[in-house]
Amino acid sequence: MSKKTAKPPAKKSSSKQPPKKPAKTQAKSAAKKKPKQPGRKGPTLAESADKFALYQRSVQSPAVDIEFFDAEFQKHRGRVPLSVREDFCGTALFSAEWCKSDARRTALGVDLDGPTLEWGRTNTFAAAPPDAVERVTLAQADVRDTSLPAVDLIVAMNFSYCIFKTREELRGYFAAARKNLVDDGVFALEVYGGTEAVVELSDERELRGGLTYVWEQEKFNPINHHTLCHITWKFRDGSQLYRAFTYDWRLWTLPELGELLREAGFSEVKFYFERVEADEDDDEYLTGTGEFVEHTEIENQEAWLGYVVALK
């Protein structure tokens, strides 16, 4: 079972399978590859790598997210959620997994980046059962488009809503999402923060097969909370996929998110954080338990992951 260290974009732990996330494609991305080593025959591992496949492997865990959303929706609404909209869907892995989880379910994936959506159609869909793929629709559109069909649940994973850098922009997105929910619909955001979220750092996480995932926070401006972050992968042959994804965001605080969601018309806003335990092998790190619990007060950690759930 995968562990989550106290660093932002690591996977969420789960009692069922590992969980955190292709990059949200309304964020800027740029792929750079380390040159071949002198005398080397054939391409390096980095040159042969697919950054979207690496992202799905390193960061995403849709089954964990779906389990949480399903349970919370049923708790608050008394029924099973069947339709979902995945905003900033990238390669639509969450959407495909959602439809795999229940034969009655449908998904709408929304993203501005056409090539990334096409990658999802070619690769994500190829790995999913045909009956599930038939119930997934992908739309190259702005997530603020209120003409999209109403759904039970809208999710904004991987912090991609942070591309909206002003209160007006983010409130407008929240209001549009609320409009596209059914009467008892639910809106969910993934959030991160902590004392290390606002400093320059580079954190590495070892994966199977000699692969290393690197999360880099290059800049943070405390005046406006603008942050510049990157994802790099290092390979066992010494090559690397350098800054394969870049994120130019505003790091929103939990009070700001709660205030803006209420201003956008949501009736209730709830905050959930993963219960963690001390790592038995290294007490400098925390191990996620896979259990997300609602809190009104928490201890600030070096880094934390959570969900914000807004009820229409």
Side-chain angles (χ1 to χ4, degrees):
M1 202 40 51
S2 174
K3 292 180 179 179
K4 179 181 71 180
T5 64
K7 305 292 177 186
K11 286 192 171 188
K12 292 188 289 292
S13 301
S14 166
S15 57
K16 291 192 174 182
Q17 76 175 60
K20 212 155 181 29
K21 304 155 185 240
K24 292 321 177 177
T25 55
Q26 287 184 336
K28 171 185 173 185
S29 66
K32 299 181 181 180
K33 298 182 181 179
K34 189 174 180 179
K36 292 182 183 179
Q37 298 174 359
R40 183 181 182 87
K41 294 182 180 180
T44 65
L45 291 175
E47 290 170 328
S48 302
D50 185 318
K51 66 178 184 178
F52 295 121
L54 287 172
Y55 189 92
Q56 290 187 343
R57 172 186 171 186
S58 305
V59 176
Q60 291 191 278
S61 55
V64 176
D65 299 316
I66 291 168
E67 183 178 15
F68 171 79
F69 296 141
D70 188 29
E72 289 303 312
F73 192 102
Q74 290 192 55
K75 181 172 74 175
H76 295 295
R77 297 314 196 196
R79 66 180 181 89
V80 176
L82 296 180
S83 57
V84 75
R85 192 178 91 195
E86 180 189 4
D87 284 351
F88 314 97
C89 70
T91 62
L93 182 61
F94 180 96
S95 294
E97 290 295 324
W98 175 266
C99 290
K100 284 170 59 178
S101 68
D102 190 315
R104 300 169 295 170
R105 283 179 162 160
T106 61
L108 170 63
V110 181
D111 203 289
L112 282 177
D113 193 85
T116 307
L117 291 172
E118 190 56 39
W119 190 99
R121 291 187 182 96
T122 302
N123 297 274
T124 304
F125 287 3
D131 69 298
V133 171
E134 290 175 356
R135 289 177 277 116
V136 180
T137 301
L138 299 184
Q140 186 175 353
D142 193 308
V143 294
R144 295 166 292 184
D145 183 351
T146 56
S147 68
L148 297 169
V151 294
D152 294 334
L153 173 68
I154 295 177
V155 298
M157 308 302 292
N158 307 326
F159 331 116
S160 294
Y161 57 88
C162 292
I163 63 167
F164 299 126
K165 292 184 176 181
T166 68
R167 291 178 66 89
E168 291 73 20
E169 287 179 321
L170 192 59
R171 187 191 303 109
Y173 166 52
F174 290 167
R178 183 182 180 278
K179 186 172 182 179
N180 283 130
L181 287 169
V182 298
D183 290 343
D184 64 344
V186 173
F187 180 42
L189 306 170
E190 191 169 26
V191 294
Y192 82 97
T195 58
E196 289 193 351
V198 295
V199 297
E200 296 176 10
L201 61 77
S202 181
D203 180 59
E204 297 189 359
R205 178 161 51 89
E206 300 298 323
L207 304 174
R208 294 177 183 174
L211 181 66
T212 301
Y213 165 89
V214 184
W215 172 257
E216 178 190 358
Q217 293 169 186
E218 181 185 1
K219 296 178 181 178
F220 179 81
N221 184 346
I223 294 175
N224 55 20
H225 272 220
H226 290 185
T227 184
L228 187 65
C229 305
H230 313 278
I231 292 176
T232 292
W233 283 278
K234 297 179 180 179
F235 299 83
R236 61 177 179 269
D237 65 352
S239 62
Q240 61 177 317
L241 201 55
Y242 180 69
R243 293 184 173 178
F245 294 100
T246 291
Y247 306 94
D248 186 356
W249 286 338
R250 172 172 172 173
L251 182 59
W252 292 92
T253 65
L254 296 178
E256 290 173 322
L257 293 174
E259 290 163 4
L260 290 171
L261 285 164
R262 292 184 184 93
E263 290 172 16
F266 286 94
S267 62
E268 290 186 71
V269 180
K270 300 176 178 295
F271 300 91
Y272 297 80
F273 302 89
E274 187 174 18
R275 187 170 64 82
V276 295
E277 298 174 345
D279 191 312
E280 60 185 19
D281 299 319
D282 187 343
D283 60 10
E284 291 186 2
Y285 290 90
L286 299 173
T287 301
T289 64
E291 179 186 4
F292 283 79
V293 180
E294 183 181 358
H295 287 273
T296 57
E297 181 178 347
I298 61 166
E299 179 183 351
N300 197 18
Q301 303 166 5
E302 289 182 350
W304 45 258
L305 290 169
Y307 299 104
V308 178
V309 174
L311 308 181
K312 186 171 179 178

